[in-house]
Amino acid sequence: MTFPPIREELRGIEPYGAPQLDVPVALNTNENPYGPSAACADDVAAAVREATTTLNRYPDREHVALRTALAAYLSRDTLPTRGFEVGVEQVWAANGSNEVMLQLLQAFGGPGRRALSFAPTYSMYPEYARDTSTDWVQGHRAEDFTLDLDHARETVERERPSVVLLPSPNNPTGTALPPEAVGMLCAAAGDGLVVVDEAYTEFRREGTPSALELLPEHRNLVVTRTMSKAFALAGGRVGYLAADPAICDAIRVVRLPYHLSAVTQAVALAALRHAPELLGRVDDLRRERDACVDWLRAQGLTVADSDANFVLFGTFADRHALWQDLVDQGVLIRETGPDGWLRVSIGTPEEMAAFRDALLTSLDRLADRPTDTSTDQGVPA
């Protein structure tokens, strides 16, 4: 046996992760470029200071106070539109939405079961399936990265997955699900779960609904979110979900004991107390995103419509050369998505100006401007 005796399907695989380079302008991991105010930081520090006085004891493994605060936050989406509140018994939190997803597949996937999504999509989904010995099945998206509803329904009905993973907005394309998709796929999935990953939902364009509104109608619907993006809490590692209470109870069976530290819970509660401030930059980032889309298209580039805080653009004969040339100029974006495409996270106006200047320099230097600029919607013809 080859040492170490790792599972054969894991041997030789590189761990997931975006490059962490020391550059002046880092626009590659969809972080919020605006940190908390001094007042928020002081509140977080005070909350952590209080939590440290009890670190000799285990934290609340049910994190009831945090779930209660998260339920109140989610109810801001459901009360005005559908007239119902999300209850604390419907909410579960974990160490980032990554752990939430892993726990879902630990509880509802496993040997002999299938998980399904539609490519291109978040590259961690098949890894969650692999790590839980869940079979991975992949459908496809339309050429404009939207979800072909007929294809999606037929794929779900044919494959009968235990878990369907549907990001909205989609990563890496930024594409939101059409409102009718969620209910249709919940019906098609039967007893299988439909997980709508709303990691970037606070950045969605006006008029795009949240899947939260459909929770009362579909017991198999799970809506996941994160505090990493709009809440500017990527370093805090807090993700959460809303679902039928029976789903939350099932996750309790597989979760590790005390999986959220007392410090993490204190930080997240303090951040939620400052939600209006932390979310106050969302509109600024939306405007900067829309301006970025317009500018990229004006350069003759193909750009996917985005409801997120990032933009996918292309296509390039040698995207790695372009990516490297940008890095050499101190601007880090992401090589991800289909061949030929690049993704830029939305930063401050100053960071976006640096990105535009560097991209123009790289395009001229590499002479890699795309030749197909015939589409009106900024997506492949």
Side-chain angles (χ1 to χ4, degrees):
M1 180 181 291
T2 304
F3 188 84
I6 191 172
R7 288 160 48 190
E8 282 305 315
E9 65 269 26
L10 301 181
R11 191 175 300 282
I13 292 179
E14 292 293 324
Y16 172 88
Q20 291 184 308
L21 306 179
D22 185 13
V23 294
V25 181
L27 301 172
N28 69 323
T29 52
N30 305 335
E31 296 159 323
N32 192 323
Y34 299 104
S37 69
C40 179
D42 288 344
D43 193 4
V44 169
V48 170
R49 172 67 178 83
E50 183 177 353
T52 60
T53 65
T54 61
L55 288 184
N56 58 310
R57 303 295 185 185
Y58 287 113
D60 176 9
R61 63 173 170 262
E62 296 296 317
H63 52 284
V64 175
L66 177 56
R67 287 164 51 215
T68 301
L70 288 169
Y73 171 70
L74 292 175
S75 295
R76 301 190 335 173
D77 267 347
T78 59
L79 269 172
T81 56
R82 298 298 296 273
F84 74 89
E85 293 185 357
V86 177
V88 63
E89 72 281 359
Q90 295 177 273
V91 176
W92 185 254
N95 181 28
S97 58
N98 302 105
E99 187 179 38
V100 169
M101 292 287 185
L102 186 65
Q103 289 175 339
L104 283 167
L105 286 184
Q106 286 175 312
F108 299 99
R113 296 190 172 198
R114 292 176 175 176
L116 165 71
S117 193
F118 298 89
T121 194
Y122 185 35
S123 59
M124 278 298 296
Y125 290 161
E127 296 196 19
Y128 302 143
R130 178 201 68 201
D131 294 347
T132 57
S133 298
T134 305
D135 292 337
W136 176 248
V137 182
Q138 192 163 268
H140 61 80
R141 290 175 174 265
E143 288 189 5
D144 63 356
F145 303 133
T146 58
L147 194 64
D148 181 317
L149 298 189
D150 289 336
H151 166 72
R153 182 184 63 251
E154 291 167 2
T155 304
V156 169
E157 290 175 345
R158 181 182 67 251
E159 300 294 343
R160 309 310 301 170
S162 298
V163 181
V164 181
L165 298 168
L166 294 172
S168 184
N170 185 43
N171 182 9
T173 67
T175 317
L177 287 173
E180 63 272 23
V182 177
M184 181 201 72
L185 291 178
C186 282
D191 293 334
L193 297 190
V194 173
V195 181
V196 180
D197 180 356
E198 292 192 340
Y200 301 94
T201 194
E202 285 91 350
F203 300 103
R204 68 189 187 273
R205 288 175 288 184
E206 187 174 352
T208 303
S210 167
L212 287 171
E213 298 179 10
L214 300 178
L215 281 175
E217 301 169 29
H218 303 285
R219 291 195 67 192
N220 61 337
L221 173 62
V222 180
V223 182
T224 65
R225 291 196 177 182
T226 181
M227 297 186 74
S228 294
K229 311 304 180 182
F231 269 93
L233 205 67
R237 307 309 302 131
V238 179
Y240 54 103
L241 64 76
D244 186 278
I247 293 174
C248 294
D249 288 342
I251 291 175
R252 285 184 173 87
V253 177
V254 300
R255 64 104 170 96
L256 295 174
Y258 313 110
H259 68 291
L260 278 181
S261 75
V263 171
T264 297
Q265 294 180 45
V267 169
L269 281 165
L272 285 163
R273 289 194 292 270
H274 291 264
E277 172 211 319
L278 293 172
L279 297 173
R281 291 290 195 170
V282 166
D283 285 342
D284 295 335
L285 291 168
R286 283 196 194 109
R287 285 190 291 269
E288 198 68 48
R289 172 199 65 203
D290 293 342
C292 179
V293 169
D294 291 342
W295 182 84
L296 288 168
R297 288 176 177 167
Q299 310 314 305
L301 296 167
T302 305
V303 187
D305 290 331
S306 178
D307 277 87
N309 68 332
F310 56 81
V311 176
L312 189 74
F313 66 100
T315 58
F316 305 102
D318 188 348
R319 71 173 177 181
H320 181 72
L322 181 58
W323 176 86
Q324 185 62 61
D325 200 72
L326 290 170
V327 170
D328 293 343
Q329 297 180 70
V331 176
L332 176 62
I333 63 172
R334 188 74 180 269
E335 279 187 279
T336 189
D339 289 344
W341 294 78
L342 293 166
R343 190 191 71 196
V344 59
S345 306
I346 302 304
T348 65
E350 295 77 16
E351 289 172 331
M352 298 310 292
F355 161 71
R356 291 191 296 270
D357 290 344
L359 182 60
L360 287 176
T361 298
S362 294
L363 290 173
D364 288 339
R365 183 149 54 205
L366 300 174
D368 195 12
R369 288 184 178 273
T371 57
D372 182 9
T373 60
S374 61
T375 58
D376 293 330
Q377 298 302 316
V379 294

